[in-house]
Amino acid sequence: MEKGLQIAIDGPAAAGKSTIAKITASKLGYTYIDTGAMYRALTYKALQSHINVNDDDALLKLLNEITIELQPSEDGQIVKVDGEDVTEAIRSQEVTSQVSATAAQPRVREMMADKQRQLANAAGVVMDGRDIGTAVLPNAELKIFMTASVEERASRRYEENMKRGINRSMEELCQDISRRDKADTERAASPLKQAADAIYIDTTSMTIEEVADTIIQFAEKRRSL
Ligand code: CDP
Ligand code: CDP
């Protein structure tokens, strides 16, 4: 039986990584893993427990104590922390504004990467994040670095927010995204960076279907090697 590929999708905020990763995983019959959700879940729990997201020791202790579960669902993935469904709660503005600080802590990253590698033992996996191709799965058979202009990414988030009844201006969204990209790119521990062997895709003027089809074609090619 075919073993299944490891597919790594990295890139900046709101580039379409999770949307495309979900579709790709579903078409190939692979497991989808959103690693950003794990950093968000830890941040959510830290905020609830009044833990400073810059405190490496406290975060690490918390990460050791809690159970983060990612369960496949119709819509992609249900995220649970200690049994509580936090799928929606981890997308809040508060979590979004703090998550890059949590994710900058080196020991937190090491522990997250270990957990993510264990999850990637599934037969075939599509994992999205910031450091999947560079640090978590350096031997992934297919690596994609996906991006789009900041304006396009903010506009996609704007549309998404409208559907969820969240009212934030384009200007605020552009600022948020740029701030998070800067923090993720400039941190010392496994920063957001294109892996040397990753395929670069600028999705600014591509539809979801076009991006998904492009990646599936690359995956089919790798599978036939
Ligand atoms: O979906 P969105 O692009 O808004 O972000 P996300 O994928 O949910 O990731 C949230 C944050 O987690 C990012 O801004 C990074 O700070 C961090 N992250 C990371 O450092 N490494 C990963 N592999 C995934 C996420
Ligand atoms: O995971 P990441 O933060 O990179 O992005 P996402 O949450 O998958 O995508 C952000 C939004 O952009 C979603 O509402 C997608 O439907 C939309 N999108 C799009 O309009 N065109 C694309 N080519 C990719 C995503």
Side-chain angles (χ1 to χ4, degrees):
M1 204 182 111
E2 194 221 350
K3 192 182 141 278
L5 305 175
Q6 287 188 337
I7 303 179
I9 303 184
D10 291 303
K17 301 179 299 298
S18 33
T19 306
I20 305 294
K22 261 178 239 170
I23 298 173
T24 309
S26 152
K27 287 214 172 152
L28 296 172
Y30 288 3
T31 303
Y32 159 61
I33 299 164
D34 171 3
T35 62
M38 297 169 73
Y39 289 97
R40 285 177 179 273
L42 176 62
T43 306
Y44 169 82
K45 204 68 186 181
L47 293 173
Q48 254 197 351
S49 319
H50 306 289
I51 286 173
N52 182 338
V53 290
N54 295 298
D55 184 340
D56 195 14
D57 285 334
L59 282 175
L60 207 63
K61 184 166 175 286
L62 181 65
L63 186 54
N64 269 305
E65 286 165 3
I66 62 175
T67 307
I68 300 174
E69 290 170 89
L70 305 180
Q71 297 173 349
S73 77
E74 285 249 312
D75 297 333
Q77 185 184 258
I78 291 171
V79 186
K80 287 190 176 170
V81 181
D82 294 337
E84 178 193 351
D85 185 338
V86 295
T87 315
E88 273 298 313
I90 61 169
R91 307 278 152 203
S92 73
Q93 171 56 21
E94 202 189 2
V95 171
T96 301
S97 68
Q98 306 275 327
V99 62
S100 288
T102 304
Q105 309 304 323
R107 288 184 299 156
V108 167
R109 298 202 69 81
E110 271 171 38
M111 198 163 161
M112 286 291 195
D114 281 345
K115 286 180 190 285
Q116 290 156 7
R117 280 184 209 109
Q118 281 165 25
L119 293 171
N121 275 332
V125 75
V126 185
M127 190 177 274
D128 87 279
R130 301 294 188 287
D131 61 340
I132 311 306
T134 52
V136 179
L137 304 176
N139 299 321
E141 288 91 351
L142 178 60
K143 298 181 186 177
I144 305 289
F145 191 85
M146 186 182 290
T147 188
S149 70
V150 174
E151 293 73 22
E152 174 62 23
R153 290 187 280 129
S155 146
R156 289 176 185 174
R157 267 288 134 82
Y158 184 84
E159 295 295 327
E160 195 181 296
N161 282 348
M162 293 291 277
K163 285 184 206 144
R164 294 167 65 206
I166 300 168
N167 195 0
R168 303 204 66 229
S169 72
M170 273 290 289
E171 201 184 345
E172 282 174 314
L173 288 169
C174 264
Q175 276 174 6
D176 279 5
I177 286 177
S178 303
R179 201 178 310 126
R180 203 142 56 89
D181 287 352
K182 186 168 157 45
D184 291 343
T185 310
E186 293 182 354
R187 69 175 174 233
S190 49
L192 167 65
K193 190 175 141 200
Q194 183 179 348
D197 51 350
I199 296 162
Y200 178 88
I201 304 181
D202 183 342
T203 72
T204 307
S205 39
M206 290 172 83
T207 64
I208 292 174
E209 289 69 28
E210 283 169 342
V211 183
D213 286 349
T214 305
I215 295 177
I216 286 161
Q217 278 176 22
F218 280 118
E220 297 293 2
K221 258 193 225 156
R222 293 292 146 99
R223 281 218 283 202
S224 61
L225 284 181

